[in-house]
Amino acid sequence: MRGDLTKFVISRIALIIFALFGLSILIFVLARVLPGDPARMAAGWAAPDYAVEAMRKRLGLDKPLPLQYISWLSDVFRGDLGYSIYTRRSVTIDAMQYLPKTIELILVTEIFSITGGILLGILAGAFPYRMPDNIVRVMAYIAISMPAFVWAIILQLLFSRMIPLFPAGGQLSPQLSPPPQVTGLLMFDSLISGRLDCFIDALHHIILPALSLSFGSMMQNARILRMGMTDVRGKDFMLLGDALGLPFRLRILRYQFKPASIPAITAMGMSIGADLANAFLVENVYNWPGFSRYGVTAMLNKDLNAIVAVVLIVGIVYAIANFIVDLVVIWLDPRIRHGVRST
C-alpha cells in the first residue's frame, strides 16, 4: 500500500507540473495578444517612436514569441519573474511585497469559511428538514448567489459607514508603524515582535474583507456537509447506533460527521482557488494592499510580466492546496485513493 501511495504522490506531482507548464504557456500567449502596446505604455504615450522601439528591445518584445517564452521561462527557473513596467522594478520583489498580504487575508478567510461551514453543516445535518436546517439552506442560497464583492460593499456600508465598528479599508491604521518584517504576514510579525497593538489593529482591519470572501465558500461547505450527513443518516451503522442508544453527540460527531466530511473537505480545498479569484475585487473594495489588487493594476496597465506572474502564482497556490486536500481525503478514508489500491 505504501508503494501505491508513493506512486500516487509522484503521479499527482507530475500532473501538477504538467498543468502549470500548460498554464504558463496559455497565459504567456494571452497576455501578449491582448489589445495595446506594452512598449508604448512603458515608454509613455508622448514618447517618440525611437524611444518606443528601444523600450521594445529592452523588454525583449522584438523577438519571436517562442523565443520570448523560452527566455522568460529560463529566467523564472532562476527566480526572476521579469521587469514590471508599472512599478518600475522586478516582479519578484513586487510578489515578495504583496503576496504575503493576500496569503494572510486568505488564511483568515479560510478560518471563517471552514469553521463556519463545519458548524453550520453539522447543525443542519443533525436536524434535517427542521428549523435549523431550513435556516441554513436559505442562508446558503443567498450567500452562494451573491458575488463576494457585493458582500464586501454591503458589509462596508453596514459596519464601516452606518455602524462604524470596523475600518473601511487598509491593512493598518496610519498612526501605527508596522512591525519589523519577518514573514511578511502582518499579524504574525506583530506577535513575533511583541506588538500587540499592531496585532489587534490588523485583526480589526482584516475581519470585514475576510468575512466578505468567506460567505460564499462557508455556506457552500455547510450545504455539502449537510447533504453528506443527511445521506449518512440512513446508513445501517447509524440505525444500529440509534438502536443501541448511543449518545446523540457521539452519533453525530463520530459516526455521522466523519464519513460525511470527505466531500466537504474536497470543496474546502476548491474554495481556496475561488477565494483567490474573488480577492481581486474584494481587495480593491477595501483598498487592501495585496497581490490580487496588484494583479488588477497589472491588467489595467498591460504589465505583461506582472500579469503572467500573478496568474502563475495563483495557479501554484491552487494546485498545492488541492494536492494537500487529496492527501487529507486519503488519510480520512483509505478506500478513496483516486487510483491508489491497497495490496
Side-chain angles (χ1 to χ4, degrees):
M1 184 175 66
R2 182 174 297 178
D4 288 335
L5 182 59
T6 302
K7 291 179 182 179
F8 166 77
V9 171
I10 294 174
S11 65
R12 289 292 290 175
I13 293 175
L15 182 61
I16 289 172
I17 294 174
F18 179 77
L20 292 176
F21 179 71
L23 176 64
S24 68
I25 296 176
L26 178 62
I27 191 59
F28 188 88
V29 173
L30 289 178
R32 279 153 176 76
V33 300
L34 290 174
D37 186 355
R40 169 65 68 181
M41 298 179 73
W45 295 109
D49 291 341
Y50 70 86
V52 175
E53 290 302 318
M55 179 59 70
R56 196 183 311 279
K57 291 182 180 179
R58 178 186 175 187
L59 298 175
L61 299 176
D62 58 325
K63 301 176 182 178
L65 195 59
L67 292 181
Q68 291 184 41
Y69 176 77
I70 293 173
S71 176
W72 171 83
L73 189 62
S74 63
D75 289 339
V76 168
F77 283 122
R78 293 196 298 269
D80 182 7
L81 295 174
Y83 174 79
S84 169
I85 63 175
Y86 176 72
T87 62
R88 306 287 179 176
R89 60 182 182 177
S90 170
V91 177
T92 305
I93 295 176
D94 290 339
M96 293 173 63
Q97 176 181 343
Y98 296 114
L99 184 59
K101 297 176 173 60
T102 294
I103 290 176
E104 187 171 40
L105 176 59
I106 295 300
L107 286 175
V108 178
T109 297
E110 293 307 313
I111 290 174
F112 288 152
S113 175
I114 294 173
T115 305
I118 289 176
L119 292 177
L120 292 174
I122 291 176
L123 179 64
F127 304 98
Y129 308 107
R130 295 164 65 180
M131 183 61 69
D133 181 29
N134 294 333
I135 293 175
V136 171
R137 283 193 290 170
V138 171
M139 290 172 57
Y141 292 139
I142 296 173
I144 295 171
S145 63
M146 293 177 61
F149 75 90
V150 176
W151 284 114
I153 296 172
I154 292 174
L155 292 181
Q156 191 180 64
L157 289 174
L158 286 177
F159 299 109
S160 294
R161 306 298 183 186
M162 298 175 63
I163 308 173
L165 296 177
F166 298 97
Q171 191 182 18
L172 192 69
S173 297
Q175 65 269 20
L176 291 177
S177 59
Q181 183 170 330
V182 180
T183 65
L185 307 178
L186 182 57
M187 290 192 292
F188 281 91
D189 290 344
S190 298
L191 292 176
I192 292 173
S193 60
R195 293 285 305 278
L196 188 60
D197 56 338
C198 283
F199 173 81
I200 295 174
D201 190 78
L203 180 62
H204 199 214
H205 279 77
I206 204 173
I207 286 178
L208 284 187
L211 280 176
S212 304
L213 278 173
S214 68
F215 273 148
S217 55
M218 179 195 303
M219 299 314 300
Q220 179 74 352
N221 295 337
R223 183 169 174 266
I224 294 174
L225 181 57
R226 177 259 175 199
M227 292 172 60
M229 291 187 67
T230 303
D231 291 340
V232 172
R233 188 180 180 86
K235 300 294 185 181
D236 291 340
F237 63 88
M238 287 297 299
L239 298 177
L240 178 61
D242 290 340
L244 294 175
L246 294 179
F248 178 76
R249 182 181 300 178
L250 179 64
R251 285 186 285 115
I252 294 296
L253 297 181
R254 183 169 181 178
Y255 296 107
Q256 190 174 1
F257 168 71
K258 185 176 179 179
S261 65
I262 294 174
I265 290 173
T266 304
M268 291 172 190
M270 299 289 288
S271 70
I272 295 176
D275 291 338
L276 278 170
N278 291 327
F280 280 81
L281 293 176
V282 172
E283 286 189 357
N284 277 273
V285 172
Y286 285 101
N287 198 26
W288 188 266
F291 196 58
S292 296
R293 186 179 173 210
Y294 169 77
V296 172
T297 304
M299 294 174 190
L300 294 176
N301 290 275
K302 197 171 171 56
D303 194 346
L304 299 183
N305 290 326
I307 292 173
V308 176
V310 169
V311 175
L312 188 60
I313 290 174
V314 170
I316 291 173
V317 173
Y318 183 74
I320 292 174
N322 280 273
F323 176 69
I324 294 173
V325 167
D326 283 343
L327 295 181
V328 172
V329 168
I330 290 175
W331 175 71
L332 285 175
D333 191 345
R335 297 170 302 174
I336 303 177
R337 300 249 179 223
H338 301 285
V340 180
R341 301 181 305 274
S342 59
T343 56

